[in-house]
Each structure stands twice: as C-alpha cells, then as structure tokens.
Amino acid sequence: MIAAMMTAANLGARVTGWGFVVFTAGSIAWSIVGISLGQTNLVATNGFLTLVNLVGVWRWLGRQRAYEDGGKSATQASRRSAYPTLFTATGVAGLPVTAPNGDTVGKVVEALVTCESGKVSYVVISASGVGGINEVLRAVARDDIRFSCDGFTLKRDRAWFEALPPLADGDWPAAPAELPKGDAA
C-alpha cells in the first residue's frame, strides 16, 4: 500500500522510483514465500512482477530522474545567466496561480502549446478542491496571464477568473478563440 501511494501521488521521479523499490522488495518477498511453500503460481506471478518493478526503478530513478535533474539545472543556470530565464514545460503543472492582489486562485494543471509556433496558447487552472475532488478547471488565454519561474499571475482579478465557465471533463477548446469568456472586470 505504501508503494502504491508513493507511485500514485506523482510527487516526482525520486518518490515514484522509491515506490517501485518498495514494490520490488514486496514481489521478491512473495517470491520467497512461494518458493518456501511450493506455490509455483505465486513464484511465477511475483517473479514477473519483480521484473516489471525493476523496469520501474530503472525508469524513475534512472532516466526520468536524469530528465528532471537536467531540467532543474537548466532552470537554475538560466536564472544566473544573461539569457532569458527558463522553466521546464513539464514543470508548469502544479505551479501556483495568483490574482493581481496576490491571493491564490489555484494551480496550473496544463499549458497547451501550438504546434506551429511552439508558443503557449492557453493555460488550464484548477481552482478549489483538494486532490482533484470538487476541483473546477478553467482555461485562461496566454494574453490574460503573466508567466514567471515560480508561478503565474492573472492580469485580471479573481472575480473575472471565477466568472469563466468551467471546462467540461475531457472537452477542452482547440484554441483561445474558443475559450469561454468571463465577465469583464
């Protein structure tokens, strides 16, 4: 159960990777139990799970961790350089969103990027709710939000944001022109 919580929580490559380490330890332990009891099905099942879990360890503590570390190092280096400050595209999810007065509005769920230009088209923000329960998703066009390395700030007030209609699950707009408009503040 601990391993499942560690992997399901999506708290980064290291936590997920260590969740797979716990899974691996469990599958090895069950394999030993199966061997000692002569349960070939238990041994076969957990032998296979051990292989799957080892791939998870390699993937999350090896490759994905290296990707995250590389992105973090580029982000930190850009803050000390003459070049424009960078942040990772995958790092956008979870960044806080505030109103112009500094009140927290929600957190970024996703940023949609146009294929041709590579520019952000709009940002989906989760407001309310905890752990996805009772959350409300709203889309904000790129022109209505300021980006920074540590979060985003709406260019309009909270009332404007809350007047935006919620997005339907799995039915997001294709372009900012299709975004629902909130009442002007």
Side-chain angles (χ1 to χ4, degrees), residues 55-79:
V55 169
V57 169
W58 172 81
R59 170 76 169 92
W60 292 101
L61 287 180
R63 299 307 316 143
Q64 191 64 33
R65 183 207 41 82
Y67 301 154
E68 286 183 11
D69 288 352
K72 285 178 187 175
S73 71
T75 298
Q76 291 167 353
S78 74
R79 290 184 181 194

Side-chain angles (χ1 to χ4, degrees), residues 38-162:
Q39 298 286 326
T40 56
N41 287 340
L42 189 59
V43 173
T45 301
N46 282 283
F48 176 75
L49 288 175
T50 298
L51 293 175
V52 169
N53 293 328
L54 288 172
V55 169
V57 169
W58 172 81
R59 170 76 169 92
W60 292 101
L61 287 180
R63 299 307 316 143
Q64 191 64 33
R65 183 207 41 82
Y67 301 154
E68 286 183 11
D69 288 352
K72 285 178 187 175
S73 71
T75 298
Q76 291 167 353
S78 74
R79 290 184 181 194
R80 298 184 304 268
S81 76
Y83 297 103
T85 306
L86 303 172
F87 61 90
T88 63
T90 56
V92 169
L95 286 175
V97 179
T98 58
N101 67 358
D103 289 345
T104 300
V105 172
K107 64 178 178 145
V108 175
V109 172
E110 188 66 82
L112 286 295
V113 178
T114 58
C115 296
E116 193 172 299
S117 70
K119 294 181 180 178
V120 172
S121 178
Y122 68 92
V123 176
V124 177
I125 300 167
S126 169
S128 311
V130 175
I133 299 170
N134 293 328
E135 78 178 349
V136 177
L137 300 179
R138 292 184 172 90
V140 175
R142 169 63 181 102
D143 293 340
D144 290 322
I145 197 165
R146 278 189 217 95
F147 286 53
S148 75
C149 291
D150 301 316
F152 296 83
T153 304
L154 297 174
K155 292 182 180 178
R156 299 180 178 203
D157 64 17
R158 181 184 205 110
W160 171 83
F161 174 76
E162 290 175 350

